[in-house]
């Protein structure tokens, strides 16, 4: 008996891609410890705009750590363009599902990646359709507010 | 794999002697205690013994004990019943910010019906300040309800002193003693309280049985309406086996009180000494003076990591602890108790509660601390925050 399925537990106990890339091409941070979850993603991107490496550091619950691990696995080898399309639904699907109250943890991973790519685009002078109108500093509680569970209770600010 | 259960404040395993006393009440003495033929009378006999034993644990008279379905029901009953009975005298209730949700949510419910509730602040270790209770009392105050021992941080309140303050103004006093009985001496005569809530499953008895102590002579309406059980105060055919189990657990708790307290506090202290020495950047939440703390309780905030991930990794190694309180695990919010004692949210997110009990051994201490050290180190490796970077 466990709170999470085997895939989630496996990624939680043996997370892939832990750490921080030195001199990354893109770096994104999302969330804050006040909310109970915070994620940092660093990326290496080659001249063909392919993500050659991704690493994460996460402060958060089991599903936040598993989501970070899965998300970084998924985007490695992807083009930046394709990585921008990675949705939290896809992360949840690859993990074989998360409890309803824990869906926001996968949203966090999606956003941390977007922020890292935004940083890459800014520092490398690139433009992507998927980043149009994207504001990396948007209060992440706003996302919680619209979530299916009726608001993120982790920080009490979602409602 | 080794299994180490460290959540005795959530619930306890039922003692074998308790189970053995309960079994015949399912099969042999299964009669309805209200029936007048022999099997009914045998069942009734079981209730009488149980009532005597619970009464003896808290030094009350047996007729002052009313069996309920749980500690939560006892809490609900006393608040709603006093509110109803004294509606004409006033509408003000005083409690504290760190009560169990059985009290807090019932108070919030009463607020919807026009009652006014003062939630007293507590100090940084969770103690209610007696002078604050005194100044919160108004002409309209009808009840003060303060828990005896906090379930998350183990704070033991000065109940005798608080009850005296209420009584000096002619106000009734209730205490939720669910975490107290069996873990410290509890004497309702000495404490001079009017009502007290108790629960069997925290003292090695079965789940789904509780009791309310009601001082003789005080009249309150019933909460569960129906038959004439419990002197017409609590209807419903009695959970005979459960009540018998509560009785046996109370008897054992009384006989073993000092050895239980010594054992728990010894193991708890050993664990804390190692944790404090070997794991950097942690704080102990709740009383630093262990004589004012539940004998088995530790609540520690581990910086830079989040509590649920600690819980999960420990569970993977067969160790059961909780984050804050068992009830919080379904609701992602941080603990209202840690919030009330001023623990910053970043630290409250990394809090775990360890509660030891009769089956915890000295060997367990080493297994647990060795594992906890590894888990904390591993999760801190994963964390984007640390002592140098700060939050
Ligand atoms: C202080 C306190 N009050 C009340 C309760 C509720 O008791 P029960 O589980 O019997 O409803 C608990 C236990 O969860 C508790 O710790
Ligand atoms: S707590 Fe989940 S995003 Fe705020």
């Amino acid at each position: 008996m466990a709170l999470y399925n085997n895939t989630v537990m496996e990624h939680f106990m043996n997370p892939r891609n832990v750490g921080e890339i030195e001199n990354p091409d893109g770096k994104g941070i999302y969330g804050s410890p006040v909310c109970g979850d915070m994620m940092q993603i660093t990326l290496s991107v080659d001249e063909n705009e392919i993500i050659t490496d991704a690493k994460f550091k996460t402060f958060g619950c089991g599903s936040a750590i598993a989501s970070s691990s899965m998300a970084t696995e998924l985007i490695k080898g992807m083009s930046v363009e394709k990585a921008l399309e990675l949705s939290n639904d896809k992360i949840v699907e690859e993990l074989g599902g998360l409890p309803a109250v824990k869906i926001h943890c996968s949203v966090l991973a999606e956003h941390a990646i977007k922020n890292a790519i935004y940083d890459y685009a800014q520092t490398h002078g690139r433009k992507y359709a998927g980043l149009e109108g994207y504001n990396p500093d948007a209060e992440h509680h706003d996302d919680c507010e619209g979530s299916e569970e009726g608001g993120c209770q982790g920080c009490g600010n979602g409602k | 794999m080794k299994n180490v259960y460290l959540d005795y404040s959530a619930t306890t395993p039922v003692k074998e002697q308790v189970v053995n006393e309960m079994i015949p009440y399912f099969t042999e003495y299964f009669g309805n205690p209200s029936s007048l033929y022999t099997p009914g009378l045998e069942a009734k006999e079981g209730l009488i013994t149980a009532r005597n034993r619970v009464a003896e644990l808290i030094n009350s008279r047996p007729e002052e004990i009313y069996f309920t379905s749980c500690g939560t029901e006892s809490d609900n009953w006393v608040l709603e019943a006093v509110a109803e009975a004294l509606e004409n005298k006033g509408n003000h209730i005083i409690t504290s910010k760190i009560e169990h949700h059985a009290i807090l949510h019932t108070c919030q419910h009463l607020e919807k019906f026009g009652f006014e509730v003062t939630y007293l602040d507590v100090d940084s270790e969770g103690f209610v300040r007696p002078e604050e209770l005194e100044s919160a009392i108004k002409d309209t105050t009808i009840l003060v309800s303060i828990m005896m021992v906090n379930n998350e941080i183990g704070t033991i309140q000065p109940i005798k002193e608080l009850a005296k303050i209420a009584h000096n103004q002619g106000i009734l006093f209730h205490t939720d003693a669910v975490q107290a009985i069996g873990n410290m001496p509890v004497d309702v005569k000495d404490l001079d309280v009017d009502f007290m809530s108790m629960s069997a499953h925290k003292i090695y008895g079965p789940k789904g049985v509780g009791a309310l102590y009601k001082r003789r002579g005080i009249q309150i309406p019933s909460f569960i309406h129906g038959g004439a059980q419990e002197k017409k105060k609590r209807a419903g055919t009695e959970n005979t086996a459960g009540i018998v189990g509560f009785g046996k657990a109370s008897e054992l708790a009384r006989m073993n009180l000092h050895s239980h307290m010594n054992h728990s506090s010894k193991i708890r202290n050993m664990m804390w000494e190692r944790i404090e020495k070997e794991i950097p950047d942690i704080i102990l939440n709740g009383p630093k003076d262990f004589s004012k703390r539940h004998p088995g309780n530790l609540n520690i905030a581990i910086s830079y990591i989040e509590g649920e991930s600690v819980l999960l990794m420990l569970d993977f190694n067969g160790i059961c602890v909780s984050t804050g309180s068992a009830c919080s695990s379904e609701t992602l919010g941080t603990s209202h108790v840690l919030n009330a004692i001023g623990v910053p949210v970043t630290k409250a997110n990394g809090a775990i509660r360890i509660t030891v009990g009769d089956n915890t051994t000295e060997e367990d201490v080493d297994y647990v601390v060795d594992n906890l050290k590894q888990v904390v180190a591993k999760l801190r490796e994963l964390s984007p925050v640390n002592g140098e970077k700060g939050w």
Side-chain angles (χ1 to χ4, degrees):
Chain A
M1 284 297 290
L3 200 53
Y4 301 120
N5 69 41
N6 289 342
T7 312
V8 176
M9 275 312 282
E10 215 282 311
H11 274 268
F12 170 65
M13 292 302 291
N14 306 298
R16 331 290 197 262
N17 314 314
V18 175
E20 190 168 355
I21 297 170
E22 262 183 65
N23 306 314
D25 295 308
K27 176 173 177 173
I29 292 182
Y30 200 72
S32 93
V34 178
C35 290
D37 30 37
M38 173 178 180
M39 212 170 276
Q40 171 191 297
I41 303 242
T42 45
L43 301 174
S44 292
V45 183
D46 71 7
E47 62 282 5
N48 300 321
E49 297 171 53
I50 302 289
I51 297 171
T52 53
D53 198 9
K55 290 206 182 300
F56 82 86
K57 285 205 156 190
T58 291
F59 168 100
C61 64
S63 58
I65 290 170
S67 297
S68 318
S69 170
M70 180 57 86
T72 47
E73 275 295 89
L74 290 172
I75 60 166
K76 277 205 308 191
M78 263 188 193
S79 68
V80 170
E81 197 124 35
K82 205 96 198 109
L84 274 175
E85 288 169 16
L86 179 74
S87 68
N88 81 295
D89 291 342
K90 175 74 180 162
I91 301 170
V92 175
E93 185 191 316
E94 291 287 331
L95 285 170
L98 284 174
V101 293
K102 293 288 187 174
I103 297 295
H104 78 265
C105 312
S106 63
V107 177
L108 202 72
E110 178 195 317
H111 279 277
I113 288 172
K114 267 216 170 112
N115 280 0
I117 295 178
Y118 182 87
D119 179 50
Y120 163 75
Q122 292 285 306
T123 53
H124 291 70
R126 310 241 187 234
K127 280 214 172 348
Y128 296 100
L131 282 178
E132 238 163 80
Y134 183 71
N135 175 9
D137 300 322
E139 271 289 326
H140 73 293
H141 310 305
D142 297 348
D143 304 319
C144 300
E145 205 155 16
S147 74
E148 277 172 55
E149 315 86 76
C152 163
Q153 298 152 5
C155 42
N157 286 336
K159 290 223 169 146
Chain B
M1 187 174 64
K2 202 171 157 72
N3 276 305
V4 184
Y5 179 79
L6 296 176
D7 206 8
Y8 284 83
S9 278
T11 194
T12 55
V14 183
K15 291 218 158 130
E16 203 179 325
Q17 293 137 288
V18 172
V19 175
N20 289 342
E21 282 222 13
M22 290 172 69
I23 289 171
Y25 287 86
F26 291 108
T27 50
E28 243 179 288
Y29 313 129
F30 64 87
N32 189 319
S34 300
S35 301
L36 300 179
Y37 39 70
T38 308
L41 299 177
E42 282 166 347
K44 195 171 186 173
E45 197 62 33
L47 298 183
I48 291 169
T49 307
R51 204 181 305 281
N52 288 337
R53 286 169 168 174
V54 174
E56 227 177 320
L57 177 64
I58 62 165
N59 193 30
S60 75
R61 300 163 191 259
E63 63 271 23
E64 293 170 316
I65 301 293
Y66 295 81
F67 288 113
T68 62
S69 69
C70 58
T72 300
E73 185 193 322
S74 304
D75 284 345
N76 273 257
W77 179 14
V78 73
L79 291 174
E80 300 235 358
V82 171
E84 181 185 331
L86 299 183
E87 211 169 7
N88 294 329
K89 178 177 177 242
N91 68 341
H92 182 230
I93 293 168
I94 302 173
T95 185
S96 83
K97 286 197 170 141
I98 64 165
E99 298 297 310
H100 191 270
H101 285 131
I103 294 290
L104 293 178
H105 290 168
T106 308
C107 284
Q108 286 161 15
H109 177 72
L110 288 169
E111 282 175 310
K112 286 190 225 150
F113 294 89
F115 286 88
E116 182 198 351
V117 183
T118 299
Y119 302 90
L120 294 175
D121 284 321
V122 293
D123 70 14
S124 63
E125 295 191 335
F127 293 103
V128 169
R129 298 181 191 87
E131 61 279 11
E132 280 191 24
L133 169 60
E134 189 142 26
S135 51
I137 293 173
K138 319 189 210 189
D139 293 342
T140 50
T141 309
I142 51 174
L143 179 69
V144 176
S145 175
I146 306 287
M147 73 199 311
M148 194 154 187
V149 175
N150 182 268
N151 47 306
E152 291 190 38
I153 56 172
T155 312
I156 301 175
Q157 300 293 350
I159 291 298
K160 188 172 174 174
E161 187 183 350
L162 299 175
K164 193 164 178 196
I165 291 169
H167 287 155
N168 282 345
Q169 315 278 334
I171 297 161
L172 293 171
F173 191 93
H174 165 252
T175 188
D176 174 340
V178 168
Q179 296 287 345
I181 59 165
N183 286 308
M184 59 180 285
V186 175
D187 177 334
V188 289
K189 297 254 159 59
D190 178 57
L191 293 169
D192 198 27
V193 295
D194 303 299
F195 308 99
M196 190 168 93
S197 301
M198 294 167 269
S199 180
H201 73 102
K202 311 282 187 183
I203 61 164
Y204 307 89
K207 294 165 185 59
V209 198
L212 182 69
Y213 156 81
K214 176 175 81 64
R215 188 205 291 271
R216 204 168 65 144
I218 297 175
Q219 292 300 325
I220 56 168
S222 63
F223 182 60
I224 305 280
H225 309 288
Q229 293 89 354
E230 297 297 287
K231 292 184 281 168
K232 298 189 186 160
K233 286 293 175 221
R234 202 285 182 181
T237 300
E238 298 86 344
N239 173 5
T240 322
I243 290 169
V244 165
F246 189 10
K248 185 64 183 175
S250 298
E251 181 188 64
L252 293 174
R254 180 176 54 79
M255 294 189 320
N256 301 333
L257 181 66
H258 291 285
S259 62
H260 165 81
M261 287 176 65
N262 289 340
H263 175 76
S264 299
S265 59
K266 182 174 152 207
I267 300 278
R268 185 269 315 271
N269 297 353
M270 282 172 68
M271 205 171 287
W272 172 239
E273 270 166 36
R274 270 201 66 189
I275 291 174
E276 189 183 26
K277 206 157 35 181
E278 298 175 35
I279 303 180
D281 296 339
I282 48 165
I283 42 174
L284 179 71
N285 299 314
K288 308 288 177 280
D289 175 355
F290 280 3
S291 70
K292 292 180 179 156
R293 186 173 187 124
H294 181 292
N297 172 287
L298 283 180
N299 187 308
I300 51 177
I302 309 171
S303 293
Y304 323 129
I305 57 181
E306 194 271 341
E308 193 218 70
S309 54
V310 179
L311 179 153
L312 274 178
M313 274 197 192
L314 289 175
D315 182 37
F316 205 78
N317 296 325
I319 299 168
C320 308
V321 303
S322 77
T323 54
S325 85
C327 318
S328 296
S329 51
E330 288 289 310
T331 59
L332 303 175
T334 49
S335 144
H336 67 284
V337 176
L338 297 184
N339 190 27
I341 62 171
V343 178
V345 184
T346 48
K347 298 227 188 282
N349 273 324
I352 58 165
R353 178 185 72 178
I354 293 174
T355 40
V356 307
D358 283 356
N359 300 347
T360 323
T361 65
E362 291 186 21
E363 292 84 74
D364 290 342
V365 173
D366 287 329
Y367 181 73
V368 168
V369 180
D370 290 347
N371 265 286
L372 184 63
K373 270 169 72 173
Q374 281 176 20
V375 164
V376 169
K378 187 170 172 188
L379 288 168
R380 282 181 175 169
E381 274 278 318
L382 279 176
S383 176
V385 283
N386 60 44
E388 286 143 43
K389 289 188 183 175
W391 296 100

